[in-house]
Amino acid sequence: MEYSSPTQWYIFFKDNLLMQKKEDGKCTIPGGMRPPFSPPHEQKIHRVLLPTGRYIHTFAIDHPLAETNQWTMQGLRASFDYLSPEDYRAAGKAFQILYWDTHSRYCPVCGTPTEQQTDIMKKCPQCGYELYPPVSTAIIVLVRRGDEVLLVHARNFRGTFFGLVAGFLEAGETLEQCVRREVMEETGLTIRNITYFDSQPWPYPSGLMVGFFADYESGEIKLQDDELSAGAFYHRDNLPELPKKLSIARRLIDTWLAGKDTESD
């Protein structure tokens, strides 16, 4: 298979991404008129439109490839350390499309096999139900108390670092209501001055993180035991291990440490 113009090929085994090694220790995504090898039988090649207006292509393979002098496979999270920011973001969207493809092969209403109509839409030929790549929205919030910040260790964290309170938006909530609820549920604290910071696609597997700053108002920390294993206010000069820079959590913390966060009352 050959395409009319060069493209990048985002090739995954599960959540492991194929990358081409560079001499500087970094990696890049293979590119060209055709993929470096053909996809497995019956594996569809997906065309993916990036927010920049550029198209890339992605497909899944059925077994991991052994590392060579030219190629390596790394988990999508780990690829952040090897790829350019642009390639890492593109890999995230490609992975979300593959995840959607795998989880939308049958109509959830009547069970009929779906048919792909566009790059991002499948349709049930029996009942007409349409399926699009889902996005699960979650909030994440940095809570300030003077020169201290609320940091927690969630039981599902992959490591010993401390992060920020986060949780999924529920039906019928505004984002600000979700921020208040999650902080209260997880720590027992009341907050004020909720202000928007930024958002970040979070392809693990298919989410959007919406970041906020807020100020402590009242209460004593009472951790939600089934969600958190530790949590406390930490002074800016005595912080525990922090999240890696791939996450919006770290950008929130770094912005606060630099004094560039929204001023509190």
Side-chain angles (χ1 to χ4, degrees), residues 100-133:
W100 165 68
D101 181 49
T102 301
H103 291 78
S104 60
R105 294 178 179 173
Y106 295 91
C107 175
V109 178
C110 67
T112 302
T114 56
E115 297 177 351
Q116 188 142 1
Q117 303 293 312
T118 72
D119 293 340
I120 58 168
M121 192 270 275
K122 294 184 181 183
K123 190 171 184 178
C124 174
Q126 181 67 30
C127 71
Y129 186 80
E130 296 180 356
L131 297 94
Y132 296 85

Side-chain angles (χ1 to χ4, degrees), residues 59-130:
F59 62 87
I61 56 178
D62 53 14
H63 64 277
L65 299 181
E67 184 161 350
T68 68
N69 292 333
Q70 183 180 12
W71 303 107
T72 183
M73 295 200 81
Q74 298 285 344
L76 182 57
R77 288 176 188 263
S79 73
F80 176 83
D81 295 327
Y82 298 91
L83 295 174
S84 69
E86 181 183 9
D87 286 347
Y88 168 74
R89 289 191 293 268
K93 181 163 186 179
F95 178 75
Q96 290 183 73
I97 294 299
L98 293 179
Y99 181 86
W100 165 68
D101 181 49
T102 301
H103 291 78
S104 60
R105 294 178 179 173
Y106 295 91
C107 175
V109 178
C110 67
T112 302
T114 56
E115 297 177 351
Q116 188 142 1
Q117 303 293 312
T118 72
D119 293 340
I120 58 168
M121 192 270 275
K122 294 184 181 183
K123 190 171 184 178
C124 174
Q126 181 67 30
C127 71
Y129 186 80
E130 296 180 356

Side-chain angles (χ1 to χ4, degrees), residues 3 24 35 49 63 73 77-78 82 100 109 137 159 176 186 202 216 219 226 235 259:
Y3 285 70
D24 62 1
L49 177 62
H63 64 277
M73 295 200 81
R77 288 176 188 263
Y82 298 91
W100 165 68
V109 178
T137 303
E176 291 80 7
E186 295 194 7
W202 194 245
Y216 166 84
D226 59 339
H235 193 275

Side-chain angles (χ1 to χ4, degrees), residues 4-257:
S4 59
S5 59
T7 185
Q8 284 183 303
W9 298 95
Y10 288 78
I11 301 169
F12 286 89
F13 170 70
K14 297 183 178 179
D15 69 342
N16 291 297
L17 174 65
L18 179 70
M19 300 184 295
Q20 192 166 6
K21 295 179 179 178
K22 297 166 61 178
E23 292 183 357
D24 62 1
K26 294 290 186 178
C27 293
T28 189
I29 300 299
M33 305 288 281
R34 62 178 64 192
F37 51 84
S38 298
H41 180 61
E42 295 184 350
Q43 279 291 340
K44 176 180 173 60
I45 294 178
H46 292 267
R47 186 178 70 162
V48 180
L49 177 62
L50 301 179
T52 59
R54 183 170 64 90
Y55 282 100
I56 60 171
H57 291 79
T58 186
F59 62 87
I61 56 178
D62 53 14
H63 64 277
L65 299 181
E67 184 161 350
T68 68
N69 292 333
Q70 183 180 12
W71 303 107
T72 183
M73 295 200 81
Q74 298 285 344
L76 182 57
R77 288 176 188 263
S79 73
F80 176 83
D81 295 327
Y82 298 91
L83 295 174
S84 69
E86 181 183 9
D87 286 347
Y88 168 74
R89 289 191 293 268
K93 181 163 186 179
F95 178 75
Q96 290 183 73
I97 294 299
L98 293 179
Y99 181 86
W100 165 68
D101 181 49
T102 301
H103 291 78
S104 60
R105 294 178 179 173
Y106 295 91
C107 175
V109 178
C110 67
T112 302
T114 56
E115 297 177 351
Q116 188 142 1
Q117 303 293 312
T118 72
D119 293 340
I120 58 168
M121 192 270 275
K122 294 184 181 183
K123 190 171 184 178
C124 174
Q126 181 67 30
C127 71
Y129 186 80
E130 296 180 356
L131 297 94
Y132 296 85
V135 177
S136 299
T137 303
I139 63 86
I140 185 164
V141 55
L142 183 147
V143 179
R144 305 164 292 206
R145 189 176 70 178
D147 284 334
E148 296 178 317
V149 61
L150 178 64
L151 297 174
V152 298
H153 186 273
R155 296 192 181 277
N156 65 352
F157 281 175
R158 300 178 181 181
T160 57
F161 66 89
F162 278 61
L164 305 176
V165 171
F168 286 103
L169 182 73
E170 293 186 358
E173 281 186 319
T174 66
L175 292 168
E176 291 80 7
Q177 287 170 337
C178 183
V179 170
R180 291 189 181 92
R181 176 182 56 78
E182 286 291 344
V183 173
M184 174 57 70
E185 287 181 355
E186 295 194 7
T187 67
L189 301 179
T190 301
I191 57 174
R192 60 189 177 91
N193 297 335
I194 299 171
T195 54
Y196 173 75
F197 170 65
D198 200 358
S199 61
Q200 177 187 19
W202 194 245
Y204 305 108
S206 192
L208 175 70
M209 299 294 293
V210 185
F212 292 88
F213 289 108
D215 291 314
Y216 166 84
E217 182 171 68
S218 63
E220 298 293 328
I221 294 178
K222 297 178 182 179
L223 297 179
Q224 187 177 17
D225 187 62
D226 59 339
E227 294 282 343
L228 304 178
S229 59
F233 279 99
Y234 290 85
H235 193 275
R236 63 171 58 245
D237 296 329
N238 187 31
L239 297 176
E241 180 184 352
L242 299 176
K244 292 184 177 180
K245 290 186 178 293
L246 85 161
S247 70
I248 193 172
R250 181 58 179 269
R251 286 203 290 127
L252 278 158
I253 295 169
D254 287 347
T255 300
W256 173 73
L257 286 171

